[in-house]
């Protein structure tokens, strides 16, 4: 076997089940460097890469990172993804992770956006990453837009009144109250009475909220005291 491919290299044992790949490469690289075999190790890995052992690009990328050559490390990670047999969406997500780890936030945003399905169903993790990155890039409006897409990707989050109230506060801070109100009204046809109660409460339509509370009580989904 070869380092990073489940075996060993130069007699160095592979990672234990409890050790991450990154930690294993760091320790292995440190051991070879201390023994004065750093370039020998790199040469062996490069020869395996030349034999189309794509996985070892990630190993060499970590070594270049530890050597302080972050640009080459990034290029190797991206080439690994380009050569991997994965879908376009999976490749885009992996690029996003690589760019994010490298601190290239704008590039990470572009990659994550490319990894999204049109309706982003089931892609809450990617949306959360985008929300965080837009915030770090000082784009609060973009971050807010993505935060609403999180609710659309996982409609069960609409039963959480606290999250919706936080969104209302963010909309107010951005002077987007009217837009947020329209977004809420588009969710009034939900089959879930808890969602309808939450939405009507935020819209200050207390009569409709009361009817939804009655439906909740009949369905015994939650206690009416939830809203008290």
């Amino acid at each position: 076997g070869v380092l990073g491919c489940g075996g060993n290299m130069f007699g160095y044992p592979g990672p234990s089940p409890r050790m991450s790949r990154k930690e294993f490469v760091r320790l292995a690289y440190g051991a070879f460097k201390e023994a004065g075999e750093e370039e020998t190790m790199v040469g062996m890995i490069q020869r395996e890469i030349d034999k189309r052992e794509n996985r070892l690009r990630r190993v060499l990328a970590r070594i270049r990172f530890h050597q302080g050559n972050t640009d080459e490390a990034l290029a190797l990670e991206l080439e690994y993804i380009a050569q991997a047999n994965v879908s376009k969406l999976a490749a885009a997500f992996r690029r996003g992770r690589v760019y994010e780890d490298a601190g290239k936030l704008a590039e990470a945003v572009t990659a994550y956006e490319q990894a999204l399905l049109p309706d982003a169903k089931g892609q809450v993790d990617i949306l959360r990453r985008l929300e965080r990155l837009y915030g770090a890039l000082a784009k609060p409006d973009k971050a807010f837009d993505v935060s609403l897409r999180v609710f659309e990707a996982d409609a069960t989050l609409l039963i959480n009144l606290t999250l919706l109230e936080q969104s209302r506060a963010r909309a107010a801070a951005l002077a987007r109250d009217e837009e947020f109100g329209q977004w809420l009204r588009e969710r009034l046809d939900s089959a879930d009475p808890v969602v309808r109660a939450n939405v009507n409460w935020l819209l200050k339509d207390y009569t409709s909220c009361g009817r939804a509370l009655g439906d909740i009580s009949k369905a015994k989904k939650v206690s009416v005291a939830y809203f008290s």
Side-chain angles (χ1 to χ4, degrees):
V2 182
L3 180 65
C5 291
N8 60 73
M9 186 176 191
F10 302 138
Y12 199 89
S16 71
R18 289 177 291 183
M19 183 184 299
S20 70
R21 178 187 60 84
K22 289 182 179 180
E23 180 65 8
F24 171 62
V25 173
R26 184 186 70 81
L27 293 173
Y29 168 69
F32 282 108
K33 183 178 181 180
E34 186 176 346
E37 297 286 350
E38 179 179 0
E39 290 309 313
T40 302
M41 178 188 191
V42 170
M44 287 285 289
I45 294 173
Q46 185 60 60
R47 282 193 291 275
E48 293 297 324
I49 291 173
D50 294 340
K51 295 176 185 176
R52 305 179 70 84
E53 190 61 69
N54 188 40
R55 289 176 294 175
L56 285 179
R57 282 191 171 87
R58 302 195 73 197
V59 176
L60 186 54
R62 294 310 300 173
I63 292 172
R64 294 308 188 204
F65 173 80
H66 292 305
Q67 291 175 328
N69 193 340
T70 54
D71 287 341
E72 186 176 348
L74 177 60
L76 283 162
E77 288 279 10
L78 293 174
E79 182 60 21
Y80 162 76
I81 295 168
Q83 296 291 335
N85 184 24
V86 296
S87 69
K88 289 184 179 180
L89 292 180
F93 177 71
R94 290 185 180 187
R95 288 196 302 273
R97 291 284 300 271
V98 168
Y99 281 126
E100 187 176 358
D101 288 345
K104 294 184 178 294
L105 305 190
E107 292 87 345
V109 163
T110 298
Y112 284 141
E113 288 282 7
Q114 292 171 345
L116 288 172
L117 295 166
D119 60 4
K121 290 295 184 184
Q123 294 184 302
V124 171
D125 175 61
I126 298 177
L127 291 170
R128 291 291 192 197
R129 290 172 183 274
L130 281 167
E131 183 181 357
R132 183 180 67 250
L133 288 171
Y134 277 126
L137 290 167
K139 295 183 176 181
D141 277 288
K142 284 283 191 180
F144 178 67
D145 290 338
V146 173
S147 74
L148 296 185
R149 292 177 72 185
V150 172
F151 287 109
E152 294 164 8
D154 183 359
T156 63
L157 295 174
L158 292 167
I159 68 173
N160 189 320
L161 182 59
T162 299
L163 288 179
L164 286 170
E165 288 177 329
Q166 290 171 352
S167 293
R168 179 176 62 180
R170 291 176 70 178
L174 294 167
R176 294 176 62 178
D177 309 74
E178 184 174 343
E179 181 182 344
F180 182 63
Q182 178 57 37
W183 181 86
L184 285 172
R185 284 189 284 275
E186 290 171 357
R187 272 135 198 91
L188 284 171
D189 61 353
S190 172
D192 191 325
V194 177
V195 173
R196 295 199 305 276
N198 284 347
V199 170
N200 281 302
W201 178 264
L202 293 175
L203 291 172
K204 298 183 179 180
D205 182 349
Y206 301 122
T207 299
S208 297
C209 181
R211 285 197 293 269
L213 288 174
D215 292 338
I216 292 171
S217 181
K218 291 175 185 176
K220 297 181 180 179
K221 296 194 73 167
V222 295
S223 169
V224 173
Y226 170 78
F227 293 92
S228 63

